[in-house]
Amino acid sequence: METLLRIAIQKSGRLQEGSLDLLKESGLSFSNGKEQLKTQARNFPVEVLFLRDDDIPQYVEDKVADVGIVGENILLEKQKKNQLIRRLDFAKCRLSIAIPRAENYGGVQSLQGKNIATSYPNIVKNFLSKHNINAGIHEISGSVEIAPGIGLADAICDLVSTGGTLLSNGLKEVEVVMQSEAVIIATPQLAPEKQQILDKLLFRIEAVQKAKNNKYILLNCPNDAIDKITSVIPGMKSPTIIPLARPGWSSLHSVVDENDFWEKIDQLRGFGAEGILVVPIEKMIV
Ligand code: ATP
Ligand code: ZN
C-alpha cells in the first residue's frame, strides 16, 4: 500500500482557506472539498484531515496525523510533543492583554492581583510568571472580549488583528504577549518515507512563498547605468541583459524583493531606468 502523509488542517475558520490554498498552490489537487472528514490528493501522496484547530496538536502528538497546520498560539498553548517545521506567512495576529478603555495602565505591574479572562491559560501563566505578577486566570473558551463588561474579569488576553473587536467592546490593548502566524507542525519522529514526502512538499511550499515575496522586474536603461542598477537588483544569479534596438540602451530583467520594492524603484529611476514593468511570479526555485 502506498504511504500517505496525513496532514491535519482546520475544518472551518480562519486557517482553513489559507491552508488549502497553500496545498493547492503547491500543486496538490483535491476532488472534493471541505464537507468531508478527510480527502486524498489526486496527484500527491497526501491525505488531508479536517479537524478543530485546538485538537490538531494532540492528534499530531498521537500520530493520528503526521503533520498539522495551526496558529503558533495554539502550538504554544497546547504544549504537546510537536515540532515547529515552518512558518507560513498567513493568519498573522497577536495575542494581547486588554483592559477597559477608561482605566489607567502603568505597565505590567498594573495586572497584579487582577483577574484575566482568556482561552490561553498556559501562555498567560508563563507571561505572568516571567514578569513576577500574581494574577488570577479565568479560562473561557469563547467571547472572551465581553468578560470585563459583564464583570467576569478585570482584563482579557485574546487574539487581536486590527483591534476592532476590542474597540467595540470598550477595551484597549496594553501588552502584546506573542505574535502568531500559521505554522506547520509535525510529530517529532516521522517515518523515513513520510519525511521524504514532507520534504518534497516543503520544497514546493518554499517555492510558493519565495514567489509571493518577490516580483519579476523588466526595465530599459542606458548601458552606462547597468552596473549601478545590477548592484540594486542583483537577481537570483545576475540580471539578464538584452540590447535594445536603440544604440546605447539595454533591457534588464531581474527579481526584486517585495518588502523594499518601492525604495528600489526610486533608486532605479534615479539611475535613469525607464519603462519599468513589474510582474508577479508564480513559483520561484533558487
Ligand atoms: P475552531 O472551531 O477550529 O476551534 P476557532 O474559533 O478556534 O476555530 P478561528 O477564529 O478560526 O478559530 O482562528 C483560528 C486561528 O486563526 C487562531 O488560532 C489564530 O492563529 C488565527 N487567527 C485568529 N484570529 C485572527 C485574526 N483576527 N486575524 C488573523 N488570524 C487570526
Ligand atoms: Zn479553535
Side-chain angles (χ1 to χ4, degrees):
M1 211 181 79
E2 187 197 20
T3 303
L4 296 176
L5 185 76
R6 275 165 308 178
I7 304 181
I9 69 170
Q10 193 187 25
K11 186 167 51 182
S12 67
R14 290 188 149 106
L15 292 168
Q16 210 247 356
E17 196 183 341
S19 306
L20 270 180
D21 284 352
L22 183 73
L23 296 176
K24 287 176 184 164
E25 284 162 352
S26 300
L28 281 60
S29 84
F30 301 95
S31 43
N32 37 35
K34 321 151 184 187
E35 283 68 40
Q36 298 193 318
L37 217 61
K38 57 182 187 177
T39 179
Q40 194 177 328
R42 264 196 243 115
N43 53 356
F44 200 82
V46 152
E47 186 172 57
V48 176
L49 313 180
F50 298 98
L51 299 167
R52 273 201 67 195
D53 68 339
D54 308 64
D55 299 333
I56 291 175
Q58 182 72 59
Y59 279 117
V60 168
E61 174 176 308
D62 294 343
K63 299 183 194 296
V64 174
D66 304 301
V67 169
I69 299 179
V70 292
E72 260 175 297
N73 51 303
I74 292 291
L75 171 65
L76 205 67
E77 175 61 28
K78 297 300 175 183
Q79 307 184 340
K80 301 296 177 193
K81 294 198 184 75
N82 300 151
Q83 48 170 337
L84 198 172
I85 301 290
R86 188 182 188 95
R87 295 198 163 74
L88 294 174
D89 244 11
F90 67 90
K92 290 192 175 174
C93 56
R94 55 195 188 273
L95 187 65
S96 290
I97 293 179
I99 62 171
R101 213 164 38 213
E103 257 163 57
N104 289 325
Y105 187 71
V108 258
Q109 283 307 323
S110 315
L111 298 171
Q112 190 73 35
K114 294 280 163 65
N115 226 330
I116 304 172
T118 187
S119 312
Y120 297 89
N122 290 321
I123 297 176
V124 175
K125 210 181 299 162
N126 286 336
F127 175 82
L128 293 173
S129 75
K130 202 178 87 192
H131 290 92
N132 291 313
I133 306 289
N134 258 314
I137 296 174
H138 192 101
E139 182 178 354
I140 42 181
S141 60
S143 302
V144 173
E145 64 283 351
I146 66 166
I150 58 172
L152 198 64
D154 308 303
I156 66 162
C157 182
D158 204 9
L159 295 172
V160 183
S161 57
T162 59
T165 309
L166 292 183
L167 204 69
S168 61
N169 284 281
L171 301 171
K172 62 179 176 190
E173 189 177 358
V174 292
E175 295 286 343
V176 176
V177 174
M178 74 174 289
Q179 301 282 346
S180 180
E181 64 186 278
V183 294
I184 298 186
I185 58 171
T187 58
Q189 285 278 299
L190 274 179
E193 318 85 70
K194 297 206 175 195
Q195 184 66 50
Q196 240 173 39
I197 301 170
L198 177 58
D199 289 345
K200 201 166 161 189
L201 181 62
L202 288 172
F203 177 79
R204 295 188 183 189
I205 288 174
E206 194 175 331
V208 171
Q209 286 187 316
K210 278 216 188 81
K212 282 194 179 143
N213 290 328
N214 287 278
K215 298 267 181 275
Y216 192 67
I217 180 166
L218 308 85
L219 56 83
N220 296 329
C221 64
N223 288 342
D224 59 14
I226 288 175
D227 286 349
K228 277 186 281 188
I229 289 176
T230 302
S231 72
V232 175
I233 46 170
M236 294 212 270
K237 199 163 243 113
S238 66
T240 304
I241 294 161
I242 306 163
L244 289 188
R246 182 168 156 190
W249 280 74
S250 295
S251 166
L252 187 149
H253 302 190
S254 190
V255 166
V256 61
D257 193 314
E258 174 89 339
N259 290 315
D260 46 21
F261 171 74
W262 284 110
E263 281 99 86
K264 294 210 161 168
I265 294 294
D266 289 342
Q267 274 178 290
L268 298 176
R269 292 180 66 223
F271 293 150
E274 293 177 2
I276 303 175
L277 299 179
V278 176
V279 293
I281 300 171
E282 188 167 325
K283 306 278 188 296
M284 184 162 159
I285 295 135
V286 185

